[in-house]
């Protein structure tokens, strides 16, 4: 009886962690989508709201950690359960960093107005959409411990990297042709890099899921294609 | 007797974690210094060595996590001790990300050759030196649970941000005047940003120390000065 009660309570506590993480994930999706939206529509008010919403994500991360520590201290979970709790802390840490990238994108809204009509900007919403899809799916994979879905997200990151590379090249060409646009274009470059990093972080969550479920590392052989910009030449 | 033995073993295990983290920290310092060195001296061989040394840091992080989980499972530490173990995992996660930034700097070595004589580049080694100093000191603070030292590191990040802002402005001006240098200058901008992020991560470790020792958050009121670039105007 006592044992069954203890087990049930661990599951309840763990479930509480999962609920918090799902809440964080939802907030991160909204922040990323909103940041790119604010940028594209030059909506400074929306950008300010996004920046000021970020501390709520940080607070949830602190709450996950507090609960996780409490859960470990009170329930003394065995190896597998413990691994779940540690994974929850890792995932919430990754989500918190994604939130920071969204905030950073929002902060750059006012610096980018003058490249509003730039062809490269068209790629941003598509890149953001793919990335938000990855966040959604990796959180589903996390909640359902679905390894296949996690691997699928991990593989899809290549698409985001490919758009980033195309955008990088296109922006550099644009900057060479329009030196007066260098400041806003540089901010746009950082925005694109931030989205690319958010995609990387989604793959990091996929790696946590994979390791948590299989006990193996997924990290080594991911097809990375954000190497291309390192060989971009002037006038390319 | 048994209790004393148990306590001693926990301390030994925790000490093993601290040794691993100190080892990771030493490797990160070497990687950051080496990456900037390779870049400044255009030493492609050194850059390749740095990229290939990064997985060793990743492995140490995995080892910290494995040991931490084992320690918690075997020793069932109480709240304060548990907090130490969770902090160790967080610090090793931050160090792993610093290592990634160093690797990314090294990867850009060959793309930056043509701005070798640029004035902005002179700022890089100084910026890197300050950042490496922060890493050293924050790891000392971590090992000795020295909150004052942690706060000092946290405050020093403003210096790194200030150099980053100066470098950002100087590079943008340079790019406007020399559009043919846009590709290497952009890579240099990302290098500077990476160093700035490494500094941020040192402050994150300071925040972990502060929270671990005092139970309070340090994060809210850090004087952030990497906002300036957001208002840089063309021809500024």
């Amino acid at each position: 009886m006592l044992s069954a009660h203890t087990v049930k309570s661990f599951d309840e506590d763990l479930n509480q962690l999962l609920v918090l993480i799902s809440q964080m994930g939802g907030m991160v999706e909204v922040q990323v989508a909103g940041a790119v939206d604010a940028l594209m529509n030059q909506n400074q008010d929306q950008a300010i709201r996004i920046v000021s919403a970020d501390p709520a994500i940080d607070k949830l991360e602190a709450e996950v950690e507090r609960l996780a520590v409490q859960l470990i201290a009170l329930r003394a979970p065995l190896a597998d359960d413990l691994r779940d709790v540690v994974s929850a802390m890792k995932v919430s840490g990754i989500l918190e960093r994604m939130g920071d990238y969204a905030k950073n994108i929002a902060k750059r809204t006012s610096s980018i107005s003058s490249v509003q009509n730039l062809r490269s900007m068209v790629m941003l919403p598509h890149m953001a959409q793919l990335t938000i899809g990855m966040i959604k799916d990796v959180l589903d994979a996390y909640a359902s411990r679905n390894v296949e879905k996690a691997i699928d997200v991990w593989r899809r990151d290549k698409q985001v990297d490919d758009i980033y590379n195309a955008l990088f090249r296109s922006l550099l060409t644009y900057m060479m042709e329009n030196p007066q646009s260098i400041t806003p274009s540089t901010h746009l470059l950082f925005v694109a890099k931030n989205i690319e990093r958010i995609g990387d972080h989604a793959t990091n969550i996929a790696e946590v899921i994979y390791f948590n479920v299989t006990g193996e590392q997924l990290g080594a052989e991911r097809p990375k294609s954000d190497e291309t910009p390192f060989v971009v030449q002037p006038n390319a």
Side-chain angles (χ1 to χ4, degrees), chain A:
Chain A
M1 258 329 244
L2 183 68
S3 164
H5 174 73
T6 308
V7 169
K8 186 160 178 292
S9 296
F10 173 80
D11 285 346
E12 277 169 1
D13 285 349
L14 185 65
N15 198 48
Q16 207 182 338
L17 278 184
L18 296 182
V19 168
L20 282 178
I21 285 175
S22 149
Q23 216 178 322
M24 276 184 89
M27 287 164 80
V28 169
E29 285 172 36
V30 169
Q31 289 282 92
V32 175
V36 173
D37 213 50
L39 187 84
M40 294 304 292
N41 300 316
Q42 284 297 303
N43 186 335
Q44 194 59 34
D45 289 344
Q46 190 180 8
I48 291 168
R49 277 199 303 278
I50 281 156
V51 171
S52 58
D54 183 62
I57 297 179
D58 299 352
K59 260 189 200 151
L60 275 181
E61 191 211 356
E63 182 64 12
V64 166
E65 190 183 319
R66 198 190 60 75
L67 263 177
V69 168
Q70 195 185 62
L71 191 162
I72 296 171
L74 291 181
R75 310 278 173 218
L78 296 177
D80 278 0
D81 289 342
L82 186 55
R83 165 74 44 209
D84 284 343
V85 181
V86 171
S87 295
M89 279 193 278
K90 292 182 83 162
V91 170
S92 83
I94 296 170
L95 287 171
E96 188 272 328
R97 289 196 293 284
M98 286 179 170
D100 282 348
Y101 285 115
K103 180 177 71 174
N104 188 275
I105 292 169
K107 278 187 180 177
R108 294 183 194 269
T109 295
S110 62
S111 307
I112 289 177
S113 51
S114 58
V115 279
Q116 213 165 353
N117 296 314
L118 183 57
R119 198 175 61 91
S120 315
M121 280 195 81
V122 182
M123 299 190 216
L124 271 192
H126 181 48
M127 196 180 168
Q129 211 176 8
L130 287 175
T131 309
I132 292 164
M134 287 170 69
I135 303 174
K136 260 190 225 301
D137 289 347
V138 86
L139 288 170
D140 280 356
Y142 176 68
S144 57
R145 303 174 69 88
N146 186 332
V147 175
E148 284 70 31
K149 201 165 194 168
I151 295 174
D152 178 60
V153 169
W154 192 72
R155 290 216 177 101
R156 269 151 59 195
D157 190 44
K158 192 184 172 305
Q159 296 170 36
V160 176
D161 289 348
D162 287 344
I163 302 178
Y164 171 71
N165 292 340
L167 203 153
F168 184 94
R169 272 188 292 260
S170 147
L171 260 178
L172 256 53
T173 307
Y174 182 80
M175 286 157 84
M176 288 173 208
E177 289 161 0
N178 307 279
Q180 80 288 355
S181 80
I182 282 176
T183 299
S185 298
T186 299
H187 286 289
L188 197 54
L189 216 51
F190 277 115
V191 167
K193 186 73 192 168
N194 285 339
I195 299 175
E196 190 265 330
R197 294 292 295 146
I198 293 170
D200 281 350
H201 278 50
T203 70
N204 292 340
I205 294 179
E207 289 166 7
V208 171
I209 297 166
Y210 190 90
F211 182 69
N212 195 19
V213 176
T214 69
E216 310 274 324
Q217 297 286 347
L218 179 67
E221 65 294 330
R222 183 162 65 93
K224 272 302 274 185
S225 67
D226 76 341
E227 312 293 310
T228 322
F230 296 110
V231 293
V232 168
Q233 297 302 321
N235 307 319

